[in-house]
Amino acid sequence: MTSLLPAQQWTTFRIPASETMPRGRLTEQFTHCPSGLVVAPPGFGKTALLAQAARAHPGPVTWYQARPGAGRRELLTALGYPPDTPAELVGASGAIRQAPRRRDTGDGGAAGRLIVIDDMHLLSSAAQALAVRLGQLALPHPLVLIGTRPAAGSPVASMEASSATVVNADALRFRSWEVEHLFPRLYGTALRPGIAVPLVRATGGRAAMLRLFGRAVAADPDAGQEQILADGSFGREYLEREVLAPLPGRLGRFLAETCLLNRLTAEACHALTGRTDSAEMLYSLAHEHGVLRAAPDGRTYVAEPLLRACLRARLTQALTDVELTRLRGRADAGGQQDPPPPAVRRRPGTVDWADPLRAVVAGSPDVFPGRSGGHVTGAGSGGSAALLVQGVAAALSGDGTAGDTVRRALAEATEDALVVLSGQLVRAVLAVLAEGPAGTVPYPELQRIAYDAERLDLLWLSRAARCLLGLGPHPEDAGQPAVVLDECTRLGDAEGAALAASAVCLRSVWRGRPAIGELEEAVRRFRALGWGTLEAWGRAALAVVEAAHDLPDAEQRAAQAEAFARSAGVPGARALAIGAMAMATPDAADRAELQEAAWSTARSARLPVSGLRSWLTALASPAGQAGDGAVTAGRTRVGGQHTTAPPRAHEAPSVPGLTVRCLGGFEFALAGRAHDWAKLRPRAQALLRLLAVRAGQAVHRDHLLLAFWDGVTTPSTLHNLQVTVSSLRSFLEPERPRGGSRLIARQGDSYRLVLVPGDVSDVAAFERAVRDGRRSRAQRRPEEAADAFRTALDHYAGELLPGDGQAEWVVADRERLRREAAGAAVSLAEIRLGQNRPVEAADAAERCLEIDGHRDAAWRVLIQACDTAGLAADSARARNGYSAMLASLGIPPSGVLPHPT
């Protein structure tokens, strides 16, 4: 059990530190629920998820790490209740909340107190029942989050049946696209392209197994990630110790006997082993021990490939060659070796609908029975696949009734997983497009579709769903459209790349920054593929954005877009293009006439006029910069001349430009105005510098109290913090009324220095460039990676806030940024050396050594670059410097200096 801390940071026990990527898709589920349950086998990251949820909670948090065998008395004491609370108070509905709590626990005010009980399965039975009871009590009782392992006889079933939000092992498994972000962030190693999917399949997405793989790669980078995964030895000891050893003997033997079957059913296991209790064994292994995964049909179970390999090794040791051959023969005779998943077997008589679907997207009028003149009718339709194609065609034309057709397709597609998942994705897309940027994105449904499609090897469908995740609320998925675009480009999937490019455009619209360059790129891709229908929509959307930015030829481009949509037979896109013509025309009477024509065209296409209005508004949103650098809005035409005009009604008021520099020194300029820092107290200045380092990010008040008030949380220190922030706001924005600051925002118990488009933060720009460089290098785009690393080094003007000396609050960030800068420099050097540009490689290596003179890889690259460039004297100096560096560390110099891989 962790040590008891003073009453600081609003916790009774310290929240454990956990290094993992943000998992907003899971923690958001606990935001508005009275209780939550995280139940999964060991190694799935339960504690890390609970810690993220605890840190995101705006009120006080009590964290209790369960101790083996702990009883009711210890649990009550840890949670702030008197240890002698009578049993009848616990049993009576809601009565325990009347029991007095210790004064230091508090009730959390409006946010409420959060109780986290981790590893509840270690508690005694009575204490487990009490914990579950606490999670079932309503407000004003504290919120309760419980982490536990699945176990027979556990009392969590009653909590699952109540209003508790449950996160299970399947939800905790890391998806392939999450793993691609996880490795550079956590392990400093980028995955090789194409390895994420087999890695997740082999490990089941279990956090502990991924961590072990990352350590194995870091320990032996020369072995190759594919070889390490194929060998599988990195996780065997863990699986034996944490997964197989705790199993009862009969379950372990059953699991080993059936490991030759790829998919486990009661019938197949009975035929192989002769056991009549196979169904009970499979259920117990899946639901009580979490070793197997149950398929959606409820009858089929699977084991992770690495676990199966471990079991087969056990079986080989336990059986003789004759017995093993006989067992394999029975498995083969039962036809259970690698059967196709039942969910994706195609029913007799169904057609391959992918080709007609592609043709419908392309806009050819005669590619599907029943489609003519740009519309799909019910004639000639047959089966769920045909209905789905009709629905897609109707949606592309702008028909508002397309959703009904898709729903009919889903109702008929009972067994065809391809049609079901595709239909669900189309339904989600239609919902997103109907509501526009102001609506909500069905994020959990898109996550499920992407995950299920990947499990069924429908990777193209998974990528399509992932594209839309970027429209959701979670920062960790914001870059998914661009990532999928790069992935499709690398795979040579031009069709997927075109759809991903359109998702990139949607992402820009959702952010209120529609980009002309991105739209032009999407239109170019549609044209190259011959996708006339989508090209019509792209050209219409582009015309709206150009009209909103009042470009000189916007009126002509809008007319061309309308003509193209009319010839392509896409009335919805034509209505959008007419709306663009109305925006671009200088004459008020013509504008009103064109607007009415746009509404009339939309109604004739059965496209809701409200939907058309919302999209015109969204696409006309001022971006400050058109995506390709074109000058934006604020002009109107008067007698053929362009003059400055007031902002449009829908434009947000401008925010003064902010420049924040923390690398190499501190600079803070607001709208070019200098500040007399002598008028601001030193503590307020230091607080501003801390917020500046984290510009754009929320900084919790606990972090500020720890930095400037020794972490003491009392009414007095909280008041001092509020006064300091208030004085800082008044100093920076004296013209704004009290409470009207737009520069330093408060979010719950956190403060944030606000950055808007056009503002400059050298730390944010540096970190963004480093991430871009790592991602591009992992995706084998060396030139883009080199450009990004060069940009990062341009921003790194020196160490972070050198004027603050060794202040504790800045030292950790200073060292982290220094390491990242040195890593960017040596990565740039390695790229340039690989491109046979040794002089540039030497310059980058020397820059790295200026930042970190002990970076071994930089010395090696510098020596090899000098040798390659024929700079004998420089090479000799580099070798001497390298030897001196090794000597200073007590390491004998090596005569061999191979280039690091």
Side-chain angles (χ1 to χ4, degrees):
M1 187 169 64
T2 54
S3 60
L4 187 64
L5 296 178
Q8 63 180 8
Q9 300 180 358
W10 288 100
T11 59
T12 302
F13 293 91
R14 188 187 300 276
I15 299 173
S18 60
E19 292 187 357
T20 185
M21 65 175 288
R23 308 199 77 183
R25 68 178 175 88
L26 299 178
T27 55
E28 72 167 357
Q29 301 180 50
F30 300 132
T31 304
H32 302 293
C33 70
S35 60
L37 179 66
V38 183
V39 53
F44 275 84
K46 298 185 294 296
T47 300
L49 180 66
L50 292 172
Q52 284 191 21
R55 289 194 175 88
H57 184 65
V61 176
T62 297
W63 182 284
Y64 174 63
Q65 174 63 53
R67 193 169 55 86
R72 288 180 61 257
R73 185 181 183 87
E74 177 176 316
L75 181 61
L76 286 170
T77 302
L79 301 186
Y81 294 98
D84 55 351
T85 301
E88 58 270 16
L89 288 183
V90 180
S93 176
I96 193 173
R97 68 186 178 209
Q98 274 89 39
R101 291 197 296 273
R102 292 200 312 264
R103 181 174 299 177
D104 64 340
T105 59
D107 63 4
R113 186 164 67 108
L114 171 66
I115 290 176
V116 182
I117 304 173
D118 193 18
D119 285 340
M120 187 192 70
H121 57 278
L122 298 178
L123 300 174
S124 66
S125 299
Q128 288 190 41
L130 172 61
V132 171
R133 181 69 191 129
L134 289 173
Q136 293 173 331
L137 296 178
L139 294 173
H141 192 276
L143 311 176
V144 177
L145 288 182
I146 292 176
T148 186
R149 296 182 185 180
S154 172
V156 300
S158 60
M159 196 171 173
E160 290 179 319
S162 64
S163 58
T165 297
V166 180
V167 173
N168 58 20
D170 263 349
L172 284 169
R173 297 179 193 275
F174 279 89
R175 283 56 170 145
S176 65
W177 55 95
E178 292 177 325
V179 169
E180 289 177 342
H181 287 287
L182 178 69
F183 268 71
R185 178 189 180 96
L186 210 59
Y187 309 129
T189 302
L191 288 177
R192 294 189 183 277
I195 199 176
V197 171
L199 174 61
V200 168
R201 285 178 181 156
T203 61
R206 192 186 298 236
M209 295 291 287
L210 295 173
R211 187 180 302 112
L212 291 171
F213 178 79
R215 290 176 180 174
V217 170
D220 190 6
D222 296 330
Q225 296 178 7
E226 294 84 356
Q227 180 60 38
I228 293 174
L229 180 59
D231 176 64
S233 59
F234 64 91
R236 285 176 191 156
E237 181 182 350
Y238 174 84
L239 292 172
E240 288 281 359
R241 183 183 69 252
E242 298 291 339
V243 179
L244 298 178
L247 289 176
R250 61 187 186 89
L251 289 179
R253 288 190 296 272
F254 174 81
L255 201 57
E257 291 171 356
T258 58
C259 67
L260 295 178
L261 304 176
N262 284 3
R263 292 183 175 270
L264 307 173
T265 62
E267 297 80 6
C269 293
H270 173 69
L272 182 63
T273 66
R275 300 187 65 108
T276 58
D277 58 350
S278 295
E280 292 79 3
M281 298 285 236
L282 291 171
Y283 183 89
S284 178
L285 284 167
H287 300 287
E288 295 175 355
H289 297 277
V291 177
L292 301 178
R293 292 174 59 189
D297 61 8
R299 299 183 302 104
T300 307
Y301 300 85
V302 293
E304 299 163 6
L306 287 178
L307 180 61
R308 288 178 54 216
C310 193
L311 289 167
R312 289 180 177 182
R314 271 189 171 193
L315 193 65
T316 302
Q317 293 175 356
L319 300 180
T320 65
D321 291 343
V322 175
E323 292 172 329
L324 189 60
T325 302
R326 187 181 302 120
L327 190 62
R328 284 176 175 162
R330 289 206 302 271
D332 292 337
Q336 295 299 322
Q337 295 280 44
D338 299 316
V344 297
R345 291 177 185 162
R346 191 171 297 283
R347 297 192 304 276
T350 59
V351 298
D352 181 5
W353 56 272
D355 287 337
L357 182 61
R358 275 196 196 94
V360 170
V361 173
S364 304
D366 302 318
V367 297
F368 197 81
R371 185 176 194 270
S372 61
H375 295 280
V376 175
T377 67
S381 63
S384 57
L387 281 172
L388 181 57
V389 173
Q390 291 179 26
V392 173
L396 289 173
S397 70
D399 191 338
T401 65
D404 297 333
T405 307
V406 174
R407 280 190 288 273
R408 286 172 53 203
L410 284 172
E412 292 191 13
T414 56
E415 298 179 7
D416 195 331
L418 179 59
V419 176
V420 170
L421 288 174
S422 300
Q424 290 170 346
L425 178 59
V426 171
R427 182 178 59 187
V429 172
L430 292 179
V432 168
L433 296 180
E435 294 191 21
T440 58
V441 176
Y443 185 84
E445 183 176 4
L446 290 170
Q447 273 278 356
R448 180 189 54 77
I449 294 170
Y451 185 44
D452 289 347
E454 186 173 271
R455 289 173 59 189
L456 295 174
D457 273 334
L458 302 173
L459 299 183
W460 61 272
L461 186 60
S462 178
R463 288 194 291 268
R466 285 167 52 197
C467 281
L468 293 180
L469 293 178
L471 308 182
H474 304 304
E476 60 264 31
D477 288 321
Q480 277 299 310
V483 170
V484 173
L485 176 57
D486 292 340
E487 190 175 333
C488 291
T489 302
R490 175 175 56 81
L491 295 172
D493 179 7
E495 296 165 329
L499 295 176
S502 62
V504 170
C505 297
L506 285 177
R507 169 69 181 165
S508 298
V509 175
W510 251 249
R511 295 171 61 196
R513 302 171 62 186
I516 290 177
E518 291 175 354
L519 282 165
E520 288 178 337
E521 174 64 16
V523 169
R524 183 192 64 77
R525 291 179 181 273
F526 296 150
R527 186 183 303 116
L529 290 169
W531 287 4
T533 305
L534 286 179
E535 183 182 353
W537 282 104
R539 293 179 65 154
L542 179 59
V544 176
V545 178
E546 291 176 333
H549 290 104
D550 206 19
L551 298 185
D553 56 349
E555 190 174 0
Q556 179 184 358
R557 297 284 292 269
Q560 292 172 348
E562 186 276 333
F564 186 90
R566 181 167 15 98
S567 63
V570 189
R574 184 180 175 221
L576 189 63
I578 295 174
M581 293 170 63
M583 293 175 59
T585 185
D587 185 80
D590 290 346
R591 186 181 305 116
E593 183 178 348
L594 286 169
Q595 284 179 348
E596 183 54 40
W599 312 149
S600 175
T601 304
R603 284 190 289 267
S604 66
R606 294 181 289 186
L607 179 69
V609 172
S610 60
L612 178 61
R613 288 180 186 272
S614 67
W615 275 100
L616 283 169
T617 301
L619 289 166
S621 174
Q625 285 289 331
D628 55 359
V631 179
T632 64
R635 298 180 299 172
T636 187
R637 291 182 178 85
V638 179
Q641 301 292 323
H642 285 86
T643 62
T644 303
R648 293 186 175 93
H650 59 264
E651 290 184 355
S654 61
V655 178
L658 174 65
T659 300
V660 182
R661 302 193 187 281
C662 302
L663 296 170
F666 183 68
E667 176 187 345
F668 189 100
L670 183 60
R673 185 173 69 238
H675 296 89
D676 184 3
W677 299 107
K679 296 180 179 180
L680 191 64
R681 291 179 179 271
R683 180 172 284 174
Q685 295 183 38
L687 190 146
L688 174 62
R689 291 195 294 274
L690 191 154
L691 294 176
V693 171
R694 309 287 179 84
Q697 305 176 34
V699 182
H700 198 273
R701 71 181 186 189
D702 288 349
H703 187 76
L704 300 176
L705 292 172
L706 184 64
F708 304 116
W709 284 273
D710 296 327
V712 178
T713 306
T714 64
S716 175
T717 56
L718 289 175
H719 176 71
N720 289 339
L721 171 61
Q722 293 166 357
V723 170
T724 303
V725 173
S726 178
S727 67
L728 189 55
R729 287 169 168 165
S730 300
F731 174 80
L732 295 176
E733 298 175 283
E735 70 281 0
R736 292 195 177 276
R738 182 178 178 85
S741 174
R742 297 176 58 190
L743 195 59
I744 299 179
R746 180 171 178 174
Q747 299 172 313
D749 287 337
S750 299
Y751 296 90
R752 177 169 61 93
L753 182 64
V754 178
L755 293 179
V756 300
D759 290 348
V760 175
S761 165
D762 60 348
V763 173
F766 167 80
E767 293 180 324
R768 183 168 56 250
V770 170
R771 288 195 301 270
D772 292 343
R774 289 173 177 169
R775 182 176 63 250
S776 297
R777 195 178 188 193
Q779 295 167 350
R780 297 185 179 180
R781 293 183 284 118
E783 195 57 43
E784 294 180 24
D787 290 343
F789 288 134
R790 171 53 61 193
T791 300
L793 293 173
D794 289 342
H795 285 295
Y796 193 78
E799 69 176 16
L800 182 70
L801 297 177
D804 285 85
Q806 296 302 309
E808 291 185 4
W809 61 268
V810 75
V811 169
D813 282 330
R814 180 185 294 158
E815 180 60 19
R816 175 179 59 84
L817 295 177
R818 187 183 69 85
R819 288 197 306 267
E820 290 184 357
V826 76
S827 295
L828 175 61
E830 290 169 352
I831 291 172
R832 292 310 190 206
L833 187 59
Q835 295 174 331
N836 197 25
R837 296 160 71 172
V839 175
E840 294 179 40
D843 290 340
E846 288 179 344
R847 179 67 193 281
C848 174
L849 294 173
E850 290 174 3
I851 300 169
D852 182 2
H854 293 86
R855 185 65 66 114
D856 187 86
W859 284 108
R860 292 170 179 263
V861 172
L862 176 60
I863 292 169
Q864 187 167 350
C866 291
D867 290 341
T868 303
L871 304 174
D874 290 337
S875 176
R877 281 192 293 270
R879 290 177 185 273
N880 291 336
Y882 184 38
S883 298
M885 185 273 291
L886 293 176
S888 69
L889 299 176
I891 301 173
S894 171
V896 182
L897 297 171
H899 176 57
T901 57

